[in-house]
Amino acid sequence: MTASFKSPAEPKLNNLDLAPSSEPGISGDLLEVAMGPHHPSTHGVFRMDIVLDGERVIRLKPVFGYLHRNHEKIAENITYIASMPYTDRLDYICSLTNNWAYALAVEKLVGLEVPERAEYLRIILGELTRFQNHASTIGFLIQEMGASGTPLMYAFREREKILDLFESLTGSRMMCNYMRFGGCRVDPSAEWLDQVRKVVAGLPAFTDEIDRLLTSNEILMARTQGIGILPPDLAVNAGITGPMLRASGVNYDIRKIDSYGIYNRFTFRVPLGERGDVYDRYMIRLLEMRESIRILEQALKNVPGGPIVDPKSKIRGFRPKPGEAYGRIEAPKGELGFYLISDGGPNPYRYRVRPPSLVNLTILEDMCLGAAVADVVIIFGSVDIVLGEVDR
Amino acid sequence: MKTIEEIKAAIEAAVPGAGVEVVVNPSPCAQHSLRLDPDSALAVARFLRDDPELALDFLSNVTGVDWPDREISEKVKVARTVAKTVDGVEQQVEETVDEIRKRVEPGCLEAVYHLYSVVRKHGPVVIRMRTGNRTDRVELPSLTPVWRSGEFQEREIFDLFGIVFNGHPDLRRILMWDNFKDHPMRRDYVEPDDYEYEPTAHDAVLAKAQAHRAAAQAGAKGQEGAGAAQ
Amino acid sequence: MIDHPIVYQADQIFVLLKHWLIGQLPSSVQPAAGVLLSVVVIICLFPALFAVTTIIERKGLGRMQNRLGPNRTGPFGILQPIADGIKSLTKEDIVPTSADGVVHFLAPVLLVVVVFMGFAVLPMGRNMALTDMDAGLLFFFAIGASTELSVFMAGWSSRNKYSLLGAMRAVAQMISYEVPLLLSSVAVVMITGSLSLNKIVEAQNHYTWGLPHWYIFTPWGLAGFLIFCIAATAETNRSPFDLPEGESELVAGYHTEYSGFKFALFFLGEYVGMFSISGLGATLFLGGWSAPLQILNFIPSWFWFFSKLMAAICVFIWMRGTFPRLRQDQLMNFAWKFCLPLVLTNLFVTALWRFLGEGWLRWALCTAILVVVYVAMARAEMRSGHFGSRRYRYAE
Amino acid sequence: MFGEGILKGLAETAKNFFGSYVSADRLTTVEYPEKRLEPIEAARVFPFLVYDGGDWQAGLRCVACQICEKECPPKCIYIEKSKDKKPDAVGKMQFYPTRFDIDVSVCMSCQICVEVCPFDAIKMDKLFELATDDRFGGLILDRGMLAKSNQYFHGIHPTEAAEVDARLTAERAKSAAKAGAPAAKDAGRPQPPPPGEK
Amino acid sequence: MASSPYFSLAVLFLAALAFGLTPLALAWLWARFFSPPKPSLVKNSIYECGLESKGDAWMQFHSAYYLYAIIFLIFDVEAVFLLPFAVAFTGLGVAACVAMLVFVLLLIEGLAWAWAKGVLTWA
Amino acid sequence: MAVDQDLKIELGKQGVFITTLQELYNWGRRNSVWPMQFGLACCAIEMIATTMARYDLARFGAEVFRPSPRQADMMIISGTVTKKMAPQVVRLYNQMAEPRYVIAMGACAISGGPFKQGYNVLKGIDRYIPVDVHIPGCPPRPEALLQAFITLQKKIDAQPLTGPGRPRFLDAAAQGEFPVPVPGEHDLEPAFNQGVWPLPVLQPGKKD
């Protein structure tokens, strides 16, 4: 635990009535603006109802549900395995980690063993996913700051390389549907692993490029430092997870805490921010990308042979015994959990996704109060949400 | 970390009169849970968060579960007096008969909370609460004042399941639009009649669509929203 | 070298052509025809240049971003702007019901008129200025200030919240940068002793050891030029100062409600404004149409002017491809708390430059003052903005 | 701190700009309609039905067991089973689908139908150029449009097709040796384990 | 008359005006003959991210904007005063420059005051 | 007879003029389709990928993603349209200036796709607004979007400027606005727009 972290206090809940005290005469009328659902920088269909005093935000209400696709309801009406491709579409930038989280929850529910080779594959794919997610998040963030797409283009240039790997293994660029309960679906060839090695060898060049392009850029620093500060105690209390929590200086990485999969076999460090502002969130993502490369390099050194799926696992006629399980992983955006209740039938009785994006938005208003409109956009960008996961 | 029984004991020691019940989870992961009495839940939650040994400062997941009313048929031995003719004489005889009785076990709505500790790095501790029934007694205390991360998740449960969280700072619909009336995650929710529900636009579906259209034109009003779920 | 007849004729080809053309007309209308011809050339040339620039921008940005950019409309995509033009021309024109229709209509027209007026005083080559006004520079700034008005008209009349915010931003930003822009050129006027842009170019058109006497090659000139560039970027609403249309925040800023060719006129106005201000920058600091080396004098003067102009445009594009945008308060701070003190210092340094006379001393002293002030201002700016590079710790 | 960050950034974009003229790494565009990316063998888009031999109606491997219809997560498959049996490619009597439609406007390309199919009858195609302005005509693929030959399958997924062929030949040989005479009897029973469950 | 610089400016003004108006007229003609505009309630309402616009955009704005305008006015006037001085600068002696220096310093003092008062802090 | 001949020539000239104008008009429209910056779900990421370096939609002159509907020509409905979002989509479409095109990208936009069974998912945006090109796929590959874009270009090219076959926006009598649905207590009202969503015709010949 870090020094700056205090035991959580009673959370401050925002006063919800819309009555900002304004000095008469000096400030003008309040302007109510809706940002979204169609807005260039709300990552899709998110809406923020903002009350502005000049350009200063005095009230911000997030409005969700524009992409509420009833994932949970659908999942309760179809078999366990049939939900797997649906999890791809939760956080549609990182389908493989979603697969992993769901597979993990079912494995906990049923008690399946994952063969070692599959664990290695999961880690390789998971870290590649994390890398490309963080890269595109940084790209989108800078895009929201008004750059005309250059960092995003570079991020997508690398992302395409990683997506090619996904496609040649799983058959699809984005919707991989690769993990299975107790393992993985396809056994990769040695050539594929070589291909991964080649791509991974090229990734540090990309992080360096982003570093040179952005990290010390004065405009970026001026825009992001001291903006959207999230104190660590509030962060923990509000259930913030992932890079956002670590940017606030709280050392909490589920890869280390739960060491699910076989993460305890790898050496990697958890970068921690100090102030919890937008710049820290940017930097933590950049540093985590570097750590991901380290994990990938270690994992690719010795991928063991053997089966890739637990022989007890099956696709048709899969009926877990009654019970419930909550499985969670450190997805690129934070803690992604699946809560399943089985009543012994072929379909889950209750299927719940704990979306990191939704919970991470809890403190959006706290971070934005007093900031300018332009800041709201980048604070929102630095939270890194995907609407598919927020609304499900 | 403490076992679930130890936690229960700690709670009962710290919060007098707290109704806590251990719910055993038979699945291999053995994540057992504690069912809290809604009346004392807030105090228990505060204890769980503030207790230095437990220090469950991180509420990860909040979700609702719908347990609909169940029809239970059970065999009951019933003692009754029957008028019988024994040896040509009418007598009142007591006898026990097996009778299959059907009763409706009232359902309830349940809220499940998964807690972890960031300070002590342990978890999960699962707590759950049940409402009185599914229609009029659907109130539970909100734990958002204790853990802020419940704010949106409890709102979502309110929206989709219809549990009313007392003490929640901003209980509005979150995913569906404001004047929506139903709670679609309940298991008895009926979709609005939509003629293209079937997956593919096959002939059968088209025929269904035409029937629907004909019905609509014939003036069958209110068909669109025939499926109120309450 | 300019005395050589071929070189002279190449240099003056447009002037001679114009004289020959109007020579065909009766002498009573000749002066008027001459003006008309020049005006028509300006009106045709810069929109054409605008078309070329959009394609350069789109392709250049593409190349910076590892892609090709438009290449299918016509050979190498050069007809792309024409297609865009046809499309805009035939697109439906929407004026919101609640908007102020007249102002909504006038705003783009005003912008176009104003940006074209700036070219009246710019010398685009030797003897190639529409008018040689004594107070050319003053005229340029006076007319340039009206672009703010048109942007504000556009934003306000739309009655759209984003437009209004964009318009307010635009006005605040443009008036703030008007001051450093004007003051940085005052230094040039101080040394030249004239507001006539022709004279300013003439003053720089000398060579020592074959190198030109451009003002950018003096300490005060360089400082003035840099401030001029920053202010010019802000005046033309280009990235990183493109807040008034800040896409990611204000949808499309002040022209959110404009469609069809009215929107195209804003687009055009922005670019033509860029040309005129780049032309002014080149004239003030980069020797206008004079050649960068004496031995290159044989190349026509108009070539040099337009090369400098296009080079400036390329820098604009380059910056657009690289930077994120500033925030409004930072932008204002930068204008008032950084550029303005610096530009005022620059005025003193310019005066000093003159009084110190020839010699190395004035170079050393002037440079030293500017550097010290720059460093002090930059530090103050950073401290007040609380930013700087950081180090990160790791948990194992 | 006094503008180096800005200059570094400018240098980076300039490097990419000039690099795009010399290095393929910095100009990654593939001009789609004329040039295409190198095909990836595992790529999957929509399912198709494999048939053996030359006539798709006779050689369709599908026996209309309707497992894929049941397992399909978005329920985009529609099958009508035949009342009678027809001989398949090797001459066994089998049921066959009188109707097999896939609504590609619903299909989520998840490949679960392929995994559950015990007969290796349904496989994933790579064809993605299906954009159309005809909502109902163009997007519901019927039997005829779905049926593609085994050679086509070999063309797009050579490794997988070779495996499938080897497995099928082995099984057919086995069942022929085992059964001999009553071959037709157990034709409808799914014998090979689904590939996903091995 | 034609040699006067203002004549050129007038011609340029008219030409620029014509340049702005001609395409708009063409667009109007096109709409008139081929593509009829179809104004309607939803189409011609204010765009607000796909929602119905609430409240009016024409409202009283924050005073910070006006403070800047006033300071701008001062400095613009200063610049106008500086220009004749700058033109004559090459012929001026030290004394005249010092006089101007005093003027500029007074203004700088004003700027410093405004700065210290926090007027230049964007609200 | 002579008069007729003259008239014919005159008409022919006019025809040539109209044809040239039409070609020019279609060429201009086809090569300058600016999409609206508008993403809904998963497909939006593939749409973004299409504009990125490897696929580069800019080659077709379509990289100018305009955030304001007033300046956009094409709406790429990239992802699931939920019932909560549908009124906004329809309103945005209405606020676009003619000529405007719609590409329904991906299964969800066409029919609700895999989420079709959901209670909040609209089963295809073509219930409310006319769609020009449908791209199946979940999500469609970036090349598929490019192909759809080329299909759209071909479609634009084939549109006559005059005559009965002319597109909706050139016809003064045709519908210019599409009613925006209202979220009701249980469902959107109405469930579809009359005139846009014709009941799919039964195709008896389809049973091969």
Side-chain angles (χ1 to χ4, degrees), chain A residues 48-161:
Chain A
M48 292 177 272
D49 283 345
I50 301 178
V51 181
L52 290 176
D53 176 22
E55 285 217 12
R56 197 150 296 283
V57 176
I58 53 172
R59 197 69 195 79
L60 184 147
K61 268 192 253 165
V63 181
F64 312 88
Y66 290 104
L67 195 59
H68 180 42
R69 303 192 278 198
N70 331 116
H71 178 66
E72 291 178 9
K73 184 85 178 173
I74 291 173
E76 285 169 17
N77 292 321
I78 55 179
T79 55
Y80 280 87
I81 188 67
S83 289
M84 188 60 92
Y86 281 97
T87 63
D88 287 337
R89 287 151 180 86
L90 269 176
D91 171 358
Y92 34 77
I93 297 183
C94 342
S95 61
L96 282 159
T97 44
N98 302 342
N99 284 180
W100 193 354
Y102 179 48
L104 194 79
V106 176
E107 281 150 18
K108 283 195 170 185
L109 184 67
V110 184
L112 292 169
E113 292 288 318
V114 183
E116 194 162 354
R117 184 173 170 80
E119 292 281 24
Y120 268 89
L121 287 173
R122 285 179 174 191
I123 282 185
I124 291 169
L125 292 167
E127 292 305 317
L128 282 172
T129 304
R130 189 181 317 278
F131 189 93
Q132 58 98 2
N133 174 71
H134 284 356
S136 32
T137 302
I138 290 174
F140 282 121
L141 177 64
I142 309 299
Q143 177 93 333
E144 265 134 48
M145 259 177 247
S148 60
T150 309
L152 188 62
M153 293 270 179
Y154 295 167
F156 267 66
R157 183 188 67 206
E158 298 308 304
R159 184 171 179 264
E160 288 294 339
K161 292 181 192 161

Side-chain angles (χ1 to χ4, degrees), chain C residues 135-147:
Chain C
L137 190 64
L138 196 59
F139 172 80
F140 190 96
F141 284 121
I143 202 81
S146 317
T147 50

Side-chain angles (χ1 to χ4, degrees), chain A residues 32 34 39 41 55 144-145 148 150 153-154 157 222-223 225 227 251 269-270 272 277 280 375, chain C residues 64-67 161-162 169 247-249 320-321 323 325 327 330 387-388 390 392-393 395-396:
Chain A
E32 270 183 72
H39 191 275
S41 50
E55 285 217 12
E144 265 134 48
M145 259 177 247
S148 60
T150 309
M153 293 270 179
Y154 295 167
R157 183 188 67 206
R223 275 305 295 281
Q225 294 192 351
I227 299 300
N251 176 15
R269 301 174 299 172
V270 181
L272 296 177
D277 55 12
D280 274 354
D375 290 335
Chain C
M64 273 181 228
Q65 299 167 343
N66 308 325
R67 60 192 174 91
K161 289 165 193 170
Y162 307 106
R169 281 179 172 194
E247 245 180 39
S248 54
E249 303 134 31
R320 182 175 165 204
F323 296 135
R325 174 187 306 135
R327 199 174 59 216
Q330 290 162 346
F387 68 86
R390 293 180 185 173
Y392 287 84
R393 66 208 163 85
E396 281 303 323

Side-chain angles (χ1 to χ4, degrees), chain B residues 196 198-206, chain D residues 75-76 78 99 101 103 106 135-136 140:
Chain B
E196 220 205 355
E198 287 295 322
T200 37
H202 296 298
D203 296 354
V205 182
L206 297 186
Chain D
K75 308 269 179 278
C76 71
Y78 180 81
R99 179 140 178 211
D101 290 357
D103 189 348
V106 174
R135 159 82 166 81
F136 288 99
I140 297 166

Side-chain angles (χ1 to χ4, degrees), chain A residues 2 31-35 39-41 52 54-55 142-150 153-154 157 213 217-223 225-227 249 251 256 268-275 277 279-280 283-284 287 291 372-375 377, chain C residues 57 61-67 160-162 164-166 168-170 239-243 246-252 317-330 374 381-382 385-396:
Chain A
T2 61
L31 186 64
E32 270 183 72
V33 185
M35 273 171 100
H39 191 275
S41 50
L52 290 176
E55 285 217 12
I142 309 299
Q143 177 93 333
E144 265 134 48
M145 259 177 247
S148 60
T150 309
M153 293 270 179
Y154 295 167
R157 183 188 67 206
L213 182 65
N217 187 315
E218 282 83 357
I219 299 179
L220 180 110
M221 285 192 197
R223 275 305 295 281
Q225 294 192 351
I227 299 300
N251 176 15
K256 292 273 187 196
F268 63 98
R269 301 174 299 172
V270 181
L272 296 177
E274 248 150 49
R275 286 167 227 199
D277 55 12
Y279 187 78
D280 274 354
M283 277 308 287
I284 295 300
L287 298 173
E291 295 303 314
V373 186
D375 290 335
V377 170
Chain C
E57 170 153 26
L61 272 183
R63 288 280 175 175
M64 273 181 228
Q65 299 167 343
N66 308 325
R67 60 192 174 91
N160 177 305
K161 289 165 193 170
Y162 307 106
L164 185 79
L165 280 173
M168 290 313 262
R169 281 179 172 194
S239 174
F241 300 100
D242 54 345
L243 282 90
E247 245 180 39
S248 54
E249 303 134 31
L250 297 185
V251 186
I317 295 168
W318 187 12
M319 292 203 295
R320 182 175 165 204
T322 311
F323 296 135
R325 174 187 306 135
L326 279 163
R327 199 174 59 216
Q328 185 73 20
D329 59 330
Q330 290 162 346
Y374 170 70
E381 183 80 358
M382 248 149 45
H386 304 287
F387 68 86
S389 50
R390 293 180 185 173
R391 302 188 70 78
Y392 287 84
R393 66 208 163 85
Y394 291 89
E396 281 303 323

Side-chain angles (χ1 to χ4, degrees), chain F residues 76-150:
Chain F
I76 302 176
I77 299 178
S78 52
T80 321
V81 186
T82 59
K83 287 179 183 166
K84 190 167 177 177
M85 188 62 195
Q88 275 69 253
V89 176
V90 179
R91 187 172 291 112
L92 284 170
Y93 176 75
N94 277 329
Q95 288 185 344
M96 282 167 79
E98 301 274 19
R100 52 196 174 183
Y101 324 106
V102 177
I103 288 184
M105 181 183 184
C108 297
I110 305 174
S111 69
F115 296 97
K116 188 170 194 165
Q117 305 149 51
Y119 48 86
N120 190 28
V121 176
L122 185 72
K123 292 162 190 72
I125 189 60
D126 50 358
R127 293 184 170 215
Y128 292 110
I129 56 177
V131 176
D132 291 289
V133 179
H134 304 267
I135 325 169
C138 190
R141 293 181 60 86
E143 289 102 325
L145 180 58
L146 289 177
Q147 192 243 341
F149 189 77
I150 296 167

Side-chain angles (χ1 to χ4, degrees), chain A residues 130 133-134 137-138 230 235 240-255 270-274 276-289 330-335 356 360 382-384, chain C residues 392:
Chain A
R130 189 181 317 278
N133 174 71
H134 284 356
T137 302
I138 290 174
L230 175 63
I240 309 302
T241 43
M244 216 178 147
L245 179 68
R246 294 190 284 276
S248 291
V250 182
N251 176 15
Y252 195 74
D253 187 325
I254 300 170
R255 289 177 293 176
V270 181
L272 296 177
E274 248 150 49
D277 55 12
V278 176
Y279 187 78
D280 274 354
R281 275 169 231 149
Y282 155 77
M283 277 308 287
I284 295 300
R285 295 211 168 91
L286 194 63
L287 298 173
E288 277 191 9
M289 279 156 72
E330 179 74 28
K333 295 184 167 61
E335 176 188 323
N360 285 0
S382 74
V383 178
D384 183 18
Chain C
Y392 287 84

